[in-house]
Amino acid sequence: MPPSTSREESKRKINALRKEKNAVILAHYYQDEEIQDIADFIGDSLELSRKAAETKAEVIVFCGVHFMAETAKIINPNKIVLIPDLDAGCSLADDCPEEEFKKFKESYPDHYVVSYINCSAEIKALSDLICTSSNAVDLIKKIPIDVPIIFAPDKNLGRWVENQTGRKLNLWQGSCIVHETFSEEALLKLKLEHQDSEIIAHPECTELLLSYSDFIGSTSKLLKHIQESSLKKFIVLTEPGIIHQMRIKEPSKYFYDVPGIDGCSCNSCPHMRLNTIEKIIKCLESLQPRLEIDEETSKKALKPIKKMLELSN
Ligand code: 13P
Ligand code: SF4
């Protein structure tokens, strides 16, 4: 069977199943192209949590990583929230274990805790406010200047927010394996080959790589930027899944992803890429695997998420 036919068949199956189960399929920009193409909605972490809060569907299939699906479940405790592969975690979220974070927080009792959404439900439950890379700068600016702040778990995003806001943040030292992997040498080589290009980057990249960047923003802001820019070429310092949407929005422009150190293809998020079309079909058929969170943690974690949604509306 030619691949396009099996793709069409999978699409038909998914369409029938999502109707039968009253399900909505939400996908992050870092998912494989074919998953983005069958999703009801594609977005960044903030847009996806907004969609999760608005949906009338009974079942949410979250094509992203664990903390994203977990956030959707915290917002919708009475809905069925599925993730095609339960092992789709996040190195950044794993970099902030609950017990160590509790101790860190206890040593700064007067601090207001702002956590990046890329963290576990337990860390969210210990936080005062959640942010995403889309709204972190705006939200930090809303906190009174005399209030000391802990920012967790991403040190790179935190440092960038410090530079943007002029606020000193007490940073948890976590990072993302994907955004720390881009090769400086490959980036400079690409720039030399395409001198008429812009370097655009996600703020989870290291300070060194951000220093070369012409524009820095969340996945949705990068997507908006390439549509507004008069330039034709972009070197993209984030997970290359986003390039699929960039090419759809701007088919006549050119996008270059940056390989990892040693030329490896580790610029793809290994967690995000665990989800597949076959696993989506399976999870719609069986309504498994489901996200389950204990009630107390879920209730505590909901408060700072709600606050974020209110403040960033
Ligand atoms: P966005 O919030 O920009 O979608 O980023 C999420 C993420 O996991 C980046 O690595
Ligand atoms: Fe987590 Fe990094 Fe993957 Fe984003 S790209 S989901 S921060 S491991």
Side-chain angles (χ1 to χ4, degrees), residues 190-229:
L190 271 170
K191 182 67 188 177
L192 207 62
E193 283 165 16
H194 307 284
Q195 294 186 23
D196 51 347
S197 65
E198 254 190 332
I199 298 175
I200 59 171
H202 194 281
E204 282 177 23
C205 290
T206 59
E207 195 170 22
L208 174 69
L209 292 182
L210 292 182
S211 72
Y212 293 116
S213 305
D214 302 297
F215 181 83
I216 299 166
S218 66
T219 48
S220 60
K221 290 195 175 164
L222 297 181
L223 192 55
K224 190 161 174 260
H225 179 75
I226 61 104
Q227 294 173 78
E228 289 172 354
S229 169

Side-chain angles (χ1 to χ4, degrees), residues 20-32:
E20 182 196 323
K21 312 278 179 173
N22 187 12
V24 66
I25 302 176
L26 305 182
H28 189 267
Y29 291 125
Y30 295 166
Q31 292 292 280
D32 287 345

Side-chain angles (χ1 to χ4, degrees), residues 138-309:
D138 290 342
L139 294 187
I140 293 290
K141 281 184 183 165
K142 289 187 180 173
I143 301 170
I145 199 79
D146 54 336
V147 175
I149 303 169
I150 284 178
F151 187 90
D154 190 31
K155 63 177 180 188
N156 292 313
L157 173 67
R159 202 180 304 108
W160 177 71
V161 173
E162 283 188 324
N163 293 338
Q164 297 298 300
T165 60
R167 291 289 292 267
K168 175 87 195 84
L169 305 174
N170 201 342
L171 301 178
W172 181 265
Q173 296 296 309
S175 62
C176 156
I177 44 162
V178 177
H179 288 85
E180 288 217 317
T181 199
F182 301 115
S183 152
E184 181 192 13
E185 196 187 329
L187 172 69
L188 296 179
K189 197 163 163 260
L190 271 170
K191 182 67 188 177
L192 207 62
E193 283 165 16
H194 307 284
Q195 294 186 23
D196 51 347
S197 65
E198 254 190 332
I199 298 175
I200 59 171
H202 194 281
E204 282 177 23
C205 290
T206 59
E207 195 170 22
L208 174 69
L209 292 182
L210 292 182
S211 72
Y212 293 116
S213 305
D214 302 297
F215 181 83
I216 299 166
S218 66
T219 48
S220 60
K221 290 195 175 164
L222 297 181
L223 192 55
K224 190 161 174 260
H225 179 75
I226 61 104
Q227 294 173 78
E228 289 172 354
S229 169
S230 57
L231 290 185
K232 284 245 170 244
K233 293 181 177 179
F234 301 89
I235 299 172
V236 183
L237 277 171
T238 193
E239 216 273 4
I242 183 79
I243 292 180
H244 181 51
Q245 289 308 311
M246 291 178 169
R247 291 196 174 123
I248 290 175
K249 303 275 186 223
E250 291 293 341
S252 65
K253 294 191 177 182
Y254 299 90
F255 304 98
Y256 308 96
D257 68 318
V258 183
I261 296 156
D262 301 331
C264 66
S265 62
C266 36
N267 60 359
S268 287
C269 175
H271 310 288
M272 287 275 182
R273 304 298 178 134
L274 283 177
N275 295 324
T276 62
I277 287 286
E278 292 71 30
K279 290 177 192 172
I280 294 173
I281 296 174
K282 250 189 173 171
C283 89
L284 273 167
E285 282 169 346
S286 62
L287 295 183
Q288 295 289 345
R290 295 183 189 194
L291 263 291
E292 303 293 354
I293 309 163
D294 86 76
E295 211 180 313
E296 203 190 324
T297 308
S298 184
K299 274 187 185 157
K300 282 188 189 156
L302 180 60
K303 281 189 195 163
I305 296 173
K306 262 192 166 169
K307 199 172 219 172
M308 168 187 80
L309 293 172

Side-chain angles (χ1 to χ4, degrees), residues 3 6 12 23 58 61-62 85 87 106 124 129 202 215 222 273 288 293:
S6 64
R12 264 197 297 277
E58 285 166 58
V61 180
F62 210 112
D85 191 317
D87 289 333
E106 277 160 18
K124 289 186 176 77
L129 178 64
H202 194 281
F215 181 83
L222 297 181
R273 304 298 178 134
Q288 295 289 345
I293 309 163

